[in-house]
Amino acid sequence: QVQLVVSGGGSVQSGGALRLSCVADARILSVKCMGWFRSRSGREREGLATLSIREDYTYFDNSVRGRFTISKDSAKNTVHLEMNSLKPEDTGTYYCAVRDAISCYTQWGLEDVYDYWSQGGRVTVSS
């Protein structure tokens, strides 16, 4: 079982930036794909991005593409979600999740295909 812990986030004004970090135990090396998700008040959890841990490619949902980026620190088993130009509608609880898959792009936004999840990290963006 892979354990994931999200840290970072917080509160910022519109246009600001925040970073979330997902720290995994060493067994992350055996996992191929990581996804980042968000839940907002009154809405279902939505996929924001996916990262191929081994092949280092990423894909972002239209809602965050161009504003969010992903970076990986393999030595620390950590993946960072860098969030820029934040908007009030980015307010929510953020999660990282991992799975094994032939292609990290296939079904990446479906939460049911992920095996392990972090606890939530809170992001609040004020106008």
Side-chain angles (χ1 to χ4, degrees):
Q1 186 171 358
V2 177
Q3 293 187 338
L4 305 168
V5 177
V6 164
S7 63
S11 298
V12 69
Q13 289 191 326
S14 182
L18 289 171
R19 183 172 79 168
L20 289 166
S21 299
C22 178
V23 181
D25 62 26
R27 283 161 288 190
I28 191 69
L29 298 177
S30 67
V31 177
K32 184 172 182 179
C33 310
M34 176 176 284
W36 282 92
F37 288 77
R38 173 175 68 194
S39 62
R40 295 185 286 181
S41 178
R43 303 186 186 189
E44 295 183 356
R45 190 153 53 183
E46 56 188 334
L48 302 177
T50 187
L51 162 72
S52 171
I53 295 170
R54 298 175 189 170
E55 300 172 353
D56 228 10
Y57 66 79
T58 57
Y59 181 81
F60 294 87
D61 183 74
N62 287 338
S63 63
V64 301
R65 188 176 298 133
R67 300 189 297 122
F68 289 14
T69 60
I70 291 176
S71 62
K72 183 179 68 175
D73 185 341
S74 298
K76 297 182 179 179
N77 295 328
T78 301
V79 174
H80 304 292
L81 180 68
E82 307 280 354
M83 303 176 288
N84 299 296
S85 302
L86 283 164
K87 306 173 183 179
E89 51 264 42
D90 292 317
T91 294
T93 302
Y94 287 66
Y95 305 85
C96 62
V98 296
R99 65 168 178 150
D100 272 324
I102 296 174
S103 167
C104 294
Y105 178 72
T106 302
Q107 298 184 316
W108 72 271
L110 300 179
E111 58 180 299
D112 289 346
V113 303
Y114 289 84
D115 299 311
Y116 303 105
W117 289 80
S118 68
Q119 91 293 2
R122 187 67 185 169
V123 170
T124 302
V125 185
S126 57
S127 57

